[in-house]
Every structure is written in structure tokens, then in C-alpha cells.
Amino acid sequence: MQPVFTAGSWSTADSTTPSFHAWNPSTGEPLDERYPISTSVELDRVASAALDASAALADIGPADVGSFLGRVADHLDAEREPIARMAHLETGLPLSPRLAEVEFDRMVGQLRQAAAAAVDVGGTSWRRPIVDEATGIRSDRGPLGGAVLTIGPNNFPLAFHAVAGGDFAAAIAAGNPVIAKGHPLHPGTGLLLAQCVGVALAESDLPPATVQYFHHCNPADGFDLVRHPAVAAVGFTGGRATGLGIKQVADEAGTPAYLEMSSVNPVFASIDTDPSEVEALAEAWAGSITLGGGQFCTKPGLLVVVGEKTAEDLGIAVETKLVASAPGLLLSERGQSEFVEGIESFEAAGARRRCGGRAVGPGWRAEPTLLEVDHETAKRRWSTLSQEIFGPVGILVRVDSMAAAVDLARSLEGQLTATVWSSSGGTVDWGPLVDVLRPRCGRLLERKMPTGVAVVPSMVHGGPYPSTGHPGFTSVGLPASIERFSVPRCWDGVSEVLLPAWLR
Amino acid sequence: MQPVFTAGSWSTADSTTPSFHAWNPSTGEPLDERYPISTSVELDRVASAALDASAALADIGPADVGSFLGRVADHLDAEREPIARMAHLETGLPLSPRLAEVEFDRMVGQLRQAAAAAVDVGGTSWRRPIVDEATGIRSDRGPLGGAVLTIGPNNFPLAFHAVAGGDFAAAIAAGNPVIAKGHPLHPGTGLLLAQCVGVALAESDLPPATVQYFHHCNPADGFDLVRHPAVAAVGFTGGRATGLGIKQVADEAGTPAYLEMSSVNPVFASIDTDPSEVEALAEAWAGSITLGGGQFCTKPGLLVVVGEKTAEDLGIAVETKLVASAPGLLLSERGQSEFVEGIESFEAAGARRRCGGRAVGPGWRAEPTLLEVDHETAKRRWSTLSQEIFGPVGILVRVDSMAAAVDLARSLEGQLTATVWSSSGGTVDWGPLVDVLRPRCGRLLERKMPTGVAVVPSMVHGGPYPSTGHPGFTSVGLPASIERFSVPRCWDGVSEVLLPAWLR
């Protein structure tokens, strides 16, 4: 049985502890290693240790925090190849460049950006120091006074991983201890990541329970951890049902939960000039909805096309591309069955399946799928047809006017992204649609697919409910992502000796 | 029957509409005017109008928003005397300087600061514009895409008023329409404020439903408004029970609610040198707990004193002052009975009443009251004895060591403020206690009572749950208070014509 990392040391559960194993999505076969499902007793111990670490971190300076984050990145870099291979084995996501380069670089890049943010005590840093000499009132932002519970998704085993990804980096940078829950679909990856973090922690002067890692738990025990007084915030990326379950428990406890849950990421297209633009859009959209097996949270699953002719040409072009594409490899057997059920529910709601739709082997694959629906049906069944289906599928909605597109947009739920796409040099006036889309999404794009999420300060990976649990934050892009795990603190007439260095 | 201000005009309910009236707390007599209790049909109409205003505001520039806020301040200033007199009549709070100068200046000062913030599009403004030329990814903060429902408290009829106070100013500055619910204890004040706002609105180019005002509603209808899709956020200051009720409904709807609810604002004192400091502390604390009838949200209701001798001397000094003080005038009959019940519950938990404790007349007055308790009893009954009692009362807790003070501090709920107080030039090491208090309060003070809340950028009027509903924000201090009512927006590859001016 593989160990967990709690209160500064690795410990192995006894053989009576319930356990689980991972799978190889490419073959559908189980993998050998067994990982413990942590008990409520263990999670209670983890929470207590985190609370102690939180108190001890109050006396640790930014330099130690920053150097720890930098060391984590270095140790991960040194293990890049085995980690990427394990992630590939457990998730079926392409090894190279996706895991070994793109996502790995993003993971270590985030950690290094967070390291830089941790030591930044300047006026424009996330700490936002203000010294008001006239009143003697100072303020800054600081840690939460408890642990951040991080819970990562199935689809980004590195960059969003609970123990080394963006939430981890942001929470540590702000001076909080982290309790990281692994994802049951890639426990071997999590173990390798946590080992690197453990080595960096042992080399640092941080409290031993600054980071703790366990592989899995029963939902009820997980909810108890969410409501534990030692947990001051939750960072979660995953499915809507789980996210809403966490939200309810966290809300009742008065604990902020930052949840990235679901999004269909609508694209609105109107191509009024060069018809070759139809081909460019078809290429971009077909590529974007099949990328990573169509399992990106920013997959643009819904394409609303203005104009019969464009919709006709686009449908043919996309169908041609999807039919010629290899099946998408999905992360789990459940993902595969939910994919098929999702398509069935769309067909039941009146969508026409133009291609794909079937689960295929070996392992857990799915045919690239194009659905299509007319405006009238879309409008009538919008609450179904505007939902996210995880996997390589998109739905094309044909509307005959911009007014009809605007009308559909008004009924959209909160989204991570929304995109408008017209011919370059065209005359389409997107103003009225953008007015409707702007408050309904975190990121608005033009002539660009949303699947790429650059880790830059101007990124917003967030959006209105229910794409996330709170519209005011981003989970990607430093230093802004740190805001979730820091709070404003006012120091009113407080002596220098009691102030943090940057407020003296 | 007095009118309500909806969708840009004043309308009077018919005589079948349920109504209420205000009271004069000084006499306990009812006041003449009648105000409607708005029906759910009316609130639905208000919500729809607000949603339209929200869309229309997208095309309004910062200059128009800023000039509207400035005009509101000007019109209020012109009506200063009648407004302050009405607020005095309805709340019993002192006319001068409290209402006519201090609170009035704060209200118009906030509006003018918000006006300045509204037009500030610079790099350090609340809009936080970022232009990343290399990637073409820009970001800023903008309005919510729906209305802000503001609900003000009973104890600050001007500066925290729903239709002219801090939440109103912050929500409008960010470009949101406001639905303001008046407080049933000062409807005449609210009407005068709303009339000034209405005049300023008519002079502006803002949509007519940018601000709407109603006097009162049934709780169930109010909750329906909170969960209405047109309401994008709630700003509330008031009691904990009401706040938690709003929180539950808002949480279920996925709507952010910024709630300032309750706080006992603990003070920790250790005086190891000059005994005349005991007198200074007694003066400051007795003054602070009786200010405004002891009805400040930042009233320091709990004083933990380290050292038997100090506690003894302090108790005598405070008792002497309170016995010599006039009874405090409370805002309502209910407030008076809750005051008496609160003191009874503290006595039942083992606190000793040294003076005061009774309701007296004329009107709704309460004797300045000192309670005292030993460490052992405090520890055993902490969850009762560390609660807030609204009114002129404080409890003095005697502990014999700093370790005991730290121990009590660990069990405190989230607070708006916490204060440490020692002799100037003393040798008390507050470090360990400050480590415990810092994450448990929004504002930490030293040798200063917390009742004054300066409206400066470095202020934090916020704190961990349950002092507020979310620890990451402040409701006082611009531009930070605007963050609650704005969201981050990313513009990825978007054409200049679709960008706000400050991102071009």
C-alpha cells in the first residue's frame, strides 16, 4: 500500500485500511499499485496538524516561503520524465508535448511565478501594502489563519494538481498551509508530485505540516474536512455536482470555497465576407473540441452560427474533419458512459447527430461527434442543449440573425469563456452581443479558441455562477489567483515591532 | 401613504397596501407618517427594471457615473439640516455633532470618494487595468451584470443607509444599478435621502432605474428578491440572524452576499507600569461602550484584563464612570428588551452585574452596564459570554496571565476588530496574542478604541465569519469596498472597438 504524507512524514496505512487503484484508460485495465482511502480519524489528524502549521507560519518570512516554492519547482523539474510518464499512463493524455512539455512547464512556471509573488512586498504586489502616516492606519493582505484544502480535477494531472498546481502555489504564496487531496484517477502521479514537495519541505525552514497529502477519502469524510474549523478555504476544480456539494457544506460553515465547476464556453460566429474563413473556423473549432479528448474546462462545446449558408458550409467542413479524426481517449469509464448519455440526452432534446456519438475501444475512447440543432429547438430546449458534455463533442446551433444569437446568449448560464468570431476585415457589429456576453463570462475572446489558458497576470480563469462558485476571482494568473487565499488586514495604531516588515 | 421610487419615478401605493410607521425612541410614541410594505409584485417589477438598467449602464461612461455620485452628495448637503433632524427624530441618535456633522460628513465624503474612484481608470484604480501587448490579453474589473441589493442597518441611518451610504456608493461606482431597501426604523430619513438621489438621477444621463428605493417588505418577499436572477450581489449590514438568513438564500442561488453581521470586538489589556494608565483605559472603554447608546458594530463589548490588581482598579474606575453616565437611548423597543435579555443570559452564565442592567424611560433607554467575570467561568461559558449585546454594556474578564488571555483569544469567533492596550513605554510582549488575534479580526488596534472607523484607503471594516459573510473584503474604505461589486474581466484578442477606453 502506498503511503500518505501527513504532519511532515510519510506513513503507510495498515492492511485493513480500504484502498483503491488507478486504471490505464488506453486499455481499460487496472494498474497494480494500491492507495489508501484515508479514514476520518486520519483526516482529523491532518486538520489539527495544519492548524498548528498555520500558527507557526505566522513567524516565517516571505523569503522562506518563496524559496520553498522555487525548490518545489526544481525538484519537479528533476523528475520531469517519470512524472510525465506516470501521468500519461494514468490519464491517457498525450505524453508529448501535452504532459511532458506544455503542462509540465505550466506547472513549474506557476510555481516559480508564485515564488516571485511570495517575496514581492511592493506597493503593487498581492499584499497591497498601504501605509497612511497621517492616521497611523496601515493595511495589507495576509494569510487566512487556517489551511487551504485543495482538490484538483481529473483532466489536468499536473498544472491543476492539488499538491503542485495553481491552487497549491497560490495558497502557499500567501502563507497558508495546504491540505491536498489527490485525484483517484491519477494517484501515482500525485504520489510522485507529493514526494518532490516533501523533499523541498524537508530542506526548508517551514513547519512540517505546511503541506500534507492524502490520496482519497469517502465523500462524507471529505465533507467533514471541508467543514472542519482548521480549513479556512477550499480550492476545487472539477465537476458541477461535486462542486455544488462542496459549496453547500462550505457555505453552511461560513468557509469560502473557490470552485471551478463547468462551462460550455459558447462561440458565436458570423462570417459575412471571405468564405475561406469558414474553413479556418471549422479547423479551429474541430481542433479545440477534440483537444485532450475534448476534456478541457474551456472546451468551446457550443457554436452558434449566424446565417444559413455559413452554418451549412461550416457543418460540412467540421463533420469532414471530425470523421477523419481519431477517437478521443477519455479519462475514465464513467466519463465514457457520461459522454454517451450526454449525447443521447441532446438527441432526445431534438439535436441531430451528424457524426460520431459512440463509445469505442480499446480502453475508453469516444468518437469525435458533431451535433446540430435549429434555432427554434435550441430555444425550446436551451437548458439541456446549453449544458457541458465532457468529451470530443460540439453542438452547432443555426440561427438566422444576430438578434436571435443575442436572444440565446441572454439565457446562458455563467461561463468561463465566450467567443465571437467573424471574418477578419468583416463588418459584423458585435457590440450588442458583447454587451450580453460580457457579464456572463470571465474571459471574452475574439477569433481565438478558448482552450489555451495563458498563465499571465491579465488572465481570468473564472466567471459567474455556476461556472465557478464566486464571480470575483480567478484561479489562473498570478498574482491575482493569490487573492482567493488572502484577506485584507488593517493595523490601526499598531507598534512597529508588531507589524510585518513591509508596513514599518 | 408615502411613495416608493421605482423605475425612475415616485409612485404611491393604494390604500389597501399594508403599511407601517416609525417611532420616536425618545418618547416611545409612534410617528404619524405611513409607509407602504412593498408587495412581491412590486419587487418583481423593481427587479426587472434593474436588469434593464444594468444592460443600459454598459454603455454609460465613468464620467457620467462619477458626476451622478457627486451630484447626490451635493443635493444631500443642501438638505443636511432636515435630513439630520429626521434621522434624530427616528433613531434618537444625537443630532449634533453625531448626525448633522460626523455621520453626514462621512456619508457625503464617501459619495465624493466614490465619485473620484468611478472616474479613475489608472493602473492602481479598482479597475486594475492590465494590457499585455505580447499576448493581446487584457483585463480589468467591471460591473456585475445585475443589480446590487443594498440593505442598511438600524444604527447608522446616513453613512450606511441603503440608498446613500457606503454600499450604495461602491455599487454605483462600479457601474451597477442599486435596489435599496429602507430600514423600517427610519423610513422618513430614507425617503429624504432617496428624494435627493432621485433629483440627481433625473439630472443625469443614467438609466432611470439605476437606483430604486422601497421602504420595507415582508421577509419572504425580501428573500425572493435576494434569489431573483436580476440581483447579482447583496450588500447588508445588520444583525446576525437576518444576515445568516440572507446568506442561506444567496448561497443557494449562487449570489455573492456581503454581510456585516456581528462582533464583540475584544480588547486585551495589560498595564505593567504607570497605574494612571488604568484611568486612561477606563475612560476610553467606558466612553466607547456607551457611544451612540452602545449600538456601534465596533463597540468593544469585551475587555480581558491581565492581572488582578489592574482588573480590580479598572473595574472600580469603569463602574464609577458608568454609574455617573446618563442612560443610553436605544433605537427600538425590541432593542431594549434584547438588551435586558442579553444581560440576563450573561448573568445566568455566571457574570456578575456591577452596575446598570435595567431598561428605563422615557422611551427606550438602558442603564450603562458593567458585567464582570472570572477566567474560570469565562472559559466554561465562553460561547455565551463572548457574544455581542447591542447597547451600553461591557463585560470585564479577569485573567491572571497572558497565557490565559491567549487561551481565551483562541476560542473567539471571527471579529471586525480586536484591540491590545498596554501602558505606553511598558514592556508587555503582545507578540503571541497578536499571532492569535491577527487572523481572527479584520482590524487590529493598539491603545485605541475601535468605535471610530475612518474612511481611508487603509481601513478594513470586515473580518472572518461570522463577523461578516466573507473574510476577503471590506465594506468601508475606498476604493477597496468597490471590489465587492465588481468582477475581473479578461479580454483575449478582442478588437479595440469592443474594449473599454482604458484598455485600448
Side-chain angles (χ1 to χ4, degrees):
Chain A
M1 186 102 83
Q2 296 294 332
V4 295
F5 185 59
T6 59
S9 61
W10 290 94
S11 61
T12 305
D14 64 48
S15 59
T16 63
T17 302
S19 68
F20 73 102
H21 60 81
W23 301 80
N24 180 342
S26 290
T27 63
E29 298 294 323
L31 297 172
D32 287 341
E33 296 294 343
R34 298 215 62 95
Y35 302 85
I37 297 172
S38 290
T39 62
S40 60
V41 172
E42 183 161 68
L43 298 185
D44 251 353
R45 230 175 8 230
V46 164
S48 299
L51 200 54
D52 292 344
S54 165
L57 278 165
D59 297 321
I60 300 283
D64 285 330
V65 173
S67 103
F68 166 63
L69 286 167
R71 274 167 190 276
V72 171
D74 294 344
H75 286 296
L76 290 169
D77 252 341
E79 301 293 322
R80 182 183 287 248
E81 206 195 306
I83 292 171
R85 262 190 311 178
M86 178 65 86
H88 170 63
L89 178 69
E90 293 183 324
T91 65
L93 293 168
L95 179 59
S96 181
R98 158 70 196 259
L99 291 169
E101 286 86 32
V102 178
E103 195 179 335
F104 209 101
D105 285 347
R106 180 171 162 165
M107 171 177 63
V108 294
Q110 279 175 166
L111 288 162
R112 291 187 176 115
Q113 287 188 37
V119 299
D120 186 357
V121 299
T124 59
S125 71
W126 65 270
R127 294 182 199 276
R128 293 195 231 157
I130 306 179
V131 177
D132 183 337
E133 305 270 4
T135 60
I137 304 176
R138 297 165 163 82
S139 66
D140 68 353
R141 293 183 73 95
L144 303 169
V148 175
L149 172 61
T150 58
I151 307 172
N154 56 7
N155 61 341
F156 272 81
L158 306 176
F160 280 82
H161 197 285
V163 83
D167 286 356
F168 165 83
I172 295 286
N176 306 288
V178 164
I179 300 172
K181 180 196 167 293
H183 196 285
L185 291 181
H186 45 254
T189 309
L191 181 60
L192 294 177
L193 297 173
Q195 283 167 345
C196 291
V197 173
V199 172
L201 191 57
E203 291 166 356
S204 80
D205 289 328
L206 304 190
T210 297
V211 187
Q212 301 180 88
Y213 178 73
F214 65 98
H215 299 285
H216 199 20
C217 64
N218 290 321
D221 295 334
F223 288 141
D224 280 345
L225 187 56
V226 168
R227 63 169 71 90
H228 195 290
V231 171
V234 180
F236 166 86
T237 302
R240 190 186 292 190
T242 308
L244 291 180
I246 292 170
K247 182 176 190 306
Q248 189 179 345
V249 173
D251 284 345
E252 282 167 11
T255 303
Y258 301 100
L259 315 160
E260 194 230 291
M261 296 191 281
S262 58
S263 185
V264 72
N265 304 296
V267 178
F268 293 81
S270 174
I271 291 176
D272 62 345
T273 53
D274 185 0
S276 78
E277 293 271 347
V278 167
E279 177 59 25
L281 171 57
E283 176 89 25
W285 191 54
S288 192
I289 64 176
T290 55
L291 195 69
Q295 300 165 112
F296 275 60
C297 32
T298 49
K299 183 193 79 168
L302 176 69
L303 175 58
V304 178
V305 181
V306 180
E308 271 306 308
K309 178 75 171 75
T310 308
E312 192 62 42
D313 295 349
L314 200 60
I316 292 165
V318 172
E319 181 178 340
T320 306
K321 285 173 205 307
L322 293 185
V323 166
S325 302
L329 185 50
L330 301 183
L331 294 156
S332 69
E333 188 167 22
R334 185 174 146 197
Q336 195 186 40
S337 54
E338 286 178 352
F339 172 82
V340 172
E341 286 159 21
I343 288 167
E344 285 168 359
S345 76
F346 274 44
E347 288 187 271
R352 179 166 80 92
R353 178 154 51 90
R354 290 189 61 146
C355 66
R358 288 177 308 182
V360 291
W364 302 318
R365 283 163 222 269
E367 291 176 340
T369 305
L370 177 62
L371 301 170
E372 192 176 289
V373 71
D374 61 79
H375 177 211
E376 197 50 47
T377 309
K379 207 172 144 79
R380 209 172 54 242
R381 302 300 300 274
W382 193 231
S383 66
T384 297
L385 297 172
S386 64
Q387 289 303 308
E388 179 183 24
I389 303 176
F390 222 50
V393 54
I395 182 166
L396 192 159
V397 183
R398 306 161 75 125
V399 300
D400 58 11
S401 69
M402 187 62 82
V406 170
D407 184 50
L408 286 178
R410 270 190 227 286
S411 303
L412 283 169
E413 291 186 315
Q415 302 289 334
L416 295 173
T417 76
T419 302
V420 297
W421 193 295
S422 47
S423 345
S424 75
T427 59
V428 176
D429 174 12
W430 288 114
L433 182 62
V434 163
D435 279 352
V436 173
L437 291 177
R438 183 63 280 185
R440 285 174 175 78
C441 69
R443 180 162 55 119
L444 180 77
L445 303 95
E446 187 174 0
R447 278 180 67 78
K448 210 171 166 181
M449 285 297 153
T451 19
V453 182
V455 185
V456 292
S458 53
M459 177 51 58
V460 176
H461 191 61
Y465 183 86
S467 66
T468 80
H470 195 299
F473 299 91
T474 177
S475 64
V476 175
L478 289 148
S481 66
I482 298 175
E483 280 168 33
R484 296 170 299 160
F485 306 124
S486 68
V487 291
R489 315 185 292 186
C490 179
W491 314 75
D492 191 346
V494 173
S495 310
E496 283 222 341
V497 64
L498 296 169
L499 294 173
W502 49 89
L503 291 182
R504 279 174 202 158
Chain B
M1 186 103 85
Q2 295 295 329
V4 295
F5 184 60
T6 60
S9 62
W10 290 95
S11 61
T12 305
D14 62 49
S15 60
T16 64
T17 302
S19 67
F20 73 103
H21 61 81
W23 300 81
N24 181 341
S26 291
T27 63
E29 298 293 323
L31 297 172
D32 287 340
E33 296 294 342
R34 299 216 60 98
Y35 302 86
I37 296 172
S38 290
T39 62
S40 60
V41 172
E42 182 161 68
L43 298 185
D44 251 354
R45 227 173 13 226
V46 164
S48 300
L51 200 55
D52 292 345
S54 166
L57 277 165
D59 296 321
I60 300 283
D64 284 330
V65 173
S67 102
F68 167 63
L69 286 167
R71 274 168 191 276
V72 171
D74 293 343
H75 286 296
L76 290 169
D77 252 341
E79 299 294 320
R80 183 182 285 247
E81 206 196 306
I83 292 171
R85 260 192 319 203
M86 178 65 87
H88 170 63
L89 177 69
E90 293 183 322
T91 66
L93 293 168
L95 179 60
S96 180
R98 159 70 197 260
L99 291 170
E101 287 85 34
V102 179
E103 195 180 335
F104 209 101
D105 285 347
R106 181 171 164 166
M107 171 177 64
V108 293
Q110 279 175 167
L111 288 162
R112 292 187 175 116
Q113 287 188 36
V119 299
D120 186 357
V121 298
T124 59
S125 71
W126 65 271
R127 297 183 197 272
R128 293 195 231 158
I130 305 179
V131 177
D132 183 337
E133 304 269 5
T135 60
I137 303 176
R138 295 164 164 81
S139 66
D140 68 354
R141 292 182 73 95
L144 304 169
V148 175
L149 172 61
T150 57
I151 307 173
N154 55 7
N155 61 341
F156 272 82
L158 306 177
F160 280 81
H161 197 284
V163 82
D167 286 355
F168 165 83
I172 294 286
N176 306 288
V178 164
I179 300 172
K181 179 197 167 294
H183 195 287
L185 290 182
H186 46 254
T189 309
L191 181 61
L192 293 177
L193 297 173
Q195 283 167 344
C196 291
V197 172
V199 172
L201 191 57
E203 291 166 357
S204 80
D205 289 327
L206 304 190
T210 297
V211 186
Q212 300 180 89
Y213 178 71
F214 64 98
H215 300 284
H216 199 19
C217 63
N218 290 320
D221 295 334
F223 288 142
D224 280 346
L225 187 56
V226 168
R227 64 169 71 87
H228 195 289
V231 171
V234 181
F236 166 86
T237 301
R240 189 185 292 190
T242 307
L244 291 180
I246 292 171
K247 181 176 189 308
Q248 189 180 344
V249 172
D251 285 345
E252 282 167 12
T255 303
Y258 301 100
L259 314 160
E260 194 230 291
M261 296 191 280
S262 58
S263 184
V264 71
N265 304 296
V267 178
F268 293 81
S270 174
I271 292 175
D272 63 345
T273 54
D274 185 359
S276 78
E277 293 271 347
V278 167
E279 177 59 26
L281 171 56
E283 176 89 26
W285 190 56
S288 193
I289 64 175
T290 54
L291 196 68
Q295 300 165 111
F296 275 61
C297 33
T298 49
K299 183 192 79 171
L302 176 69
L303 174 60
V304 178
V305 181
V306 180
E308 271 306 308
K309 178 75 172 77
T310 308
E312 192 61 42
D313 295 348
L314 200 58
I316 293 164
V318 172
E319 182 180 339
T320 307
K321 285 174 205 307
L322 293 185
V323 166
S325 302
L329 184 51
L330 302 182
L331 294 155
S332 69
E333 187 167 22
R334 185 172 147 198
Q336 194 185 42
S337 54
E338 285 178 354
F339 172 83
V340 172
E341 286 158 20
I343 288 167
E344 284 168 1
S345 76
F346 274 43
E347 288 187 272
R352 179 167 79 94
R353 177 154 50 91
R354 291 188 59 147
C355 65
R358 288 177 308 182
V360 289
W364 303 318
R365 284 163 221 268
E367 291 176 340
T369 306
L370 177 62
L371 301 170
E372 191 176 288
V373 71
D374 61 81
H375 178 211
E376 198 49 48
T377 308
K379 207 173 144 79
R380 210 172 54 242
R381 301 300 301 276
W382 194 230
S383 65
T384 297
L385 297 173
S386 64
Q387 290 303 310
E388 179 183 26
I389 304 176
F390 222 52
V393 53
I395 182 166
L396 191 160
V397 182
R398 307 161 75 125
V399 301
D400 58 11
S401 69
M402 186 62 82
V406 170
D407 184 51
L408 286 178
R410 271 191 227 287
S411 304
L412 282 170
E413 292 186 314
Q415 302 289 334
L416 295 173
T417 75
T419 302
V420 296
W421 192 295
S422 47
S423 345
S424 74
T427 58
V428 176
D429 175 13
W430 288 115
L433 182 62
V434 162
D435 280 353
V436 173
L437 291 177
R438 182 64 281 185
R440 286 175 174 77
C441 68
R443 179 162 56 120
L444 180 76
L445 303 95
E446 187 174 359
R447 278 180 68 77
K448 209 172 168 182
M449 286 297 151
T451 19
V453 181
V455 185
V456 292
S458 55
M459 178 50 59
V460 177
H461 192 61
Y465 183 85
S467 67
T468 79
H470 194 299
F473 298 90
T474 177
S475 63
V476 175
L478 291 148
S481 65
I482 298 175
E483 280 168 33
R484 297 171 298 160
F485 306 124
S486 67
V487 290
R489 315 184 292 185
C490 179
W491 314 75
D492 191 346
V494 173
S495 311
E496 284 221 344
V497 64
L498 296 169
L499 294 173
W502 49 90
L503 291 182
R504 278 176 203 158

